[in-house]
Amino acid sequence: MTQMLAAKAGEITPAMRRVAEKEKVTPEFIREGVAAGTIVIPANINHKSLDPAGFGKGLRTKVNANIGTSTSFPDIDRELEKLKGVLEAKADAVMDLSTGGEIDRGRRRILEESTIAVGTVPIYQAFLENREKRGSMIEMSADDLFEVIERHCSDGVDFITVHCGVTLGILERIKNQSRITDIVSRGGSFLTGWMLHHGQENPLYEQYDRLLDLCLQYDVTLSLGDGLRPGCLADATDRAQIQELIVLGELVDRARERGVQAMVEGPGHVPLDQIAANVQVQKTLCKGAPFYVLGPLVTDIAPGYDHITAAIGGTVAAAAGADFLCYVTPSEHLGLPTLEDVREGIMASRLAAHAADLVKGIPGAMEWDREMARARKALNWEKQIELALDPQKAARLRRERNPGGHEACTMCGDFCAMKIVAQYMGKQPEYC
């Protein structure tokens, strides 16, 4: 029985209890959200090391980190080191987007070592395997694709990104409108090439019930991918993007009817003033399904700083109701991220998520900031570092910039406002 089917039957599962404990809400609140489809708990029955988390309405905004091999860097050990960094940086989910080396072996190692939800995009592997077998990715059959999807599900993958909303009808529309960047989703581009070559409908759309059957068997959460997401600001919120979203809303309904959990992926590049509207449209068309956004990036001109552009957009999106932020690293648009890039991307997205949680009134969010304020007033550096979003970086900067162990920081020194006011007002700060 899937988490959703159990919730609909009135059952509170161990995973629901664990999510409630972590979120500081009641188990019944979680059960109701899972039953309604406004909360998902990606928890494959075969992912034995998982500590489940919830994504959706009324819960803390979650952050995903992407790792994975490429044809240029096929070493899985390098990606497992990144996984350790992802866990240390407290991301809530990780996606294995591997396209090089021993993909099956790498995925299984990641699932063994990951205590957080693991997602994949099975179509990457399906196309690559067909290139190796037949000399052309385009010769893939629907059965080839579903065989790879089942392999991922049986291995224990908690959520899969599937581009079910890229249909022949929508591709006809995109040909008749002017887009600067066309299709930037790898999965979306693979499917587009296959559909146009064969003149056949998207198998993930046409055989959607077959996909739902696999999800029911292993309790895999669908992440309905935005294959036509905008790749630049000029393409944002256009007809192709919205038409795909309408289709995804219909597919959410069908998943819920079968008892399969589903969330919906959102755009990547969106002007700041369009972000809230994008979230509202998704929530309306998809009836409150959890919304997973890539950034979104609010400008196209910042290679090297795209973790910042994504954090700006992510804050606005999450404050408007987005539930799940996919991180963007400083190397986005430039190359495969390093371990340090991964950490920087996670911290930027976690900062955006927390800023939004303050707005949304998520339990515990404001209390965290109040504790930090009290520690600052007391000049309690140990407590400030403990409470910091990134204690490791905060401790390093404190140590490097204050070598003499000054009571105040070296920016203000003897003129520390906190210290002066405390002395003259005779107030005893907390945490002393």
Side-chain angles (χ1 to χ4, degrees), residues 343-375:
R343 186 176 184 86
E344 287 291 309
I346 291 171
M347 291 305 171
S349 288
R350 283 187 59 206
L351 178 59
H354 178 67
D357 287 348
L358 292 168
V359 174
K360 291 192 280 193
I362 298 299
M366 184 57 76
E367 287 78 359
W368 186 3
D369 281 64
R370 287 183 185 278
E371 275 202 85
M372 178 62 88
R374 294 187 188 104

Side-chain angles (χ1 to χ4, degrees), residues 1-12 16 31 35:
M1 182 176 286
T2 66
Q3 295 292 327
M4 176 172 265
L5 287 174
K8 287 183 174 182
E11 178 186 346
I12 294 174
M16 293 176 205
R31 187 201 68 77

Side-chain angles (χ1 to χ4, degrees), residues 69 96-108 111 119-134 136-137 140-141 144-155 157 160-161 163 186-187 190:
T69 60
D96 173 19
L97 305 184
S98 291
T99 57
E102 299 178 78
I103 296 176
D104 285 331
R105 175 176 167 269
R107 179 177 62 256
R108 290 161 188 161
L111 283 161
T120 60
V121 189
I123 196 169
Y124 294 174
Q125 186 173 5
F127 271 87
L128 291 168
E129 286 186 353
N130 273 275
R131 184 176 66 176
E132 292 171 4
K133 289 178 186 175
R134 301 184 175 99
S136 171
M137 293 189 296
M140 179 195 75
S141 69
D144 292 331
L145 174 56
F146 278 95
E147 187 278 323
V148 172
I149 292 172
E150 181 161 17
R151 206 185 310 162
H152 285 227
C153 293
S154 64
D155 281 346
V157 169
I160 53 173
T161 292
H163 302 88
R186 268 190 299 190
F190 287 168

Side-chain angles (χ1 to χ4, degrees), residues 182-368:
D182 294 321
I183 297 174
V184 297
S185 159
R186 268 190 299 190
S189 68
F190 287 168
L191 278 168
T192 296
W194 186 90
M195 292 160 64
L196 294 177
H197 176 78
H198 293 279
Q200 296 177 18
E201 186 56 272
N202 179 352
L204 294 173
Y205 177 75
E206 194 168 52
Q207 300 186 44
Y208 187 63
D209 284 328
R210 184 178 180 182
L211 185 60
L212 294 178
D213 288 340
L214 289 173
C215 293
L216 282 168
Q217 184 177 350
Y218 299 99
D219 198 2
V220 173
T221 298
L222 285 178
S223 184
L224 295 170
D226 51 341
L228 301 178
R229 68 176 181 266
C232 67
L233 298 193
D235 294 341
T237 326
D238 67 357
R239 294 192 299 272
Q241 177 195 332
I242 300 302
Q243 185 64 35
E244 181 185 25
L245 187 57
I246 291 170
V247 173
L248 297 184
E250 296 166 354
L251 297 179
V252 167
D253 286 347
R254 290 174 60 185
R256 288 175 176 175
E257 288 169 5
R258 294 287 303 277
V260 172
Q261 300 183 98
M263 55 186 170
V264 176
E265 294 186 13
H269 293 243
V270 183
L272 197 67
D273 62 343
Q274 294 182 26
I275 292 174
N278 269 260
V279 175
Q280 183 59 53
V281 168
Q282 184 276 340
K283 289 291 183 178
T284 300
L285 294 176
C286 302
K287 298 180 182 176
F291 197 21
Y292 175 22
V293 294
L294 176 60
L297 284 75
V298 296
T299 180
D300 301 327
I301 64 163
Y305 298 92
D306 277 330
H307 59 311
I308 297 175
T309 66
I312 294 169
T315 303
V316 176
D323 308 284
F324 191 17
L325 306 179
C326 186
Y327 86 159
V328 173
T329 74
S331 61
E332 184 79 9
H333 301 112
L334 298 172
L336 195 71
T338 64
L339 178 58
E340 183 56 30
D341 289 335
V342 167
R343 186 176 184 86
E344 287 291 309
I346 291 171
M347 291 305 171
S349 288
R350 283 187 59 206
L351 178 59
H354 178 67
D357 287 348
L358 292 168
V359 174
K360 291 192 280 193
I362 298 299
M366 184 57 76
E367 287 78 359
W368 186 3

Side-chain angles (χ1 to χ4, degrees), residues 383-414:
K383 190 68 177 179
Q384 288 181 61
I385 289 167
E386 175 191 326
L387 290 167
L389 183 80
D390 185 352
Q392 181 179 314
K393 186 172 185 177
R396 175 175 58 80
L397 291 175
R398 172 67 185 164
R399 184 174 59 251
E400 291 175 354
R401 310 293 168 83
N402 299 272
H406 300 279
E407 183 183 18
C409 76
T410 51
M411 177 175 282
C412 293
D414 293 338

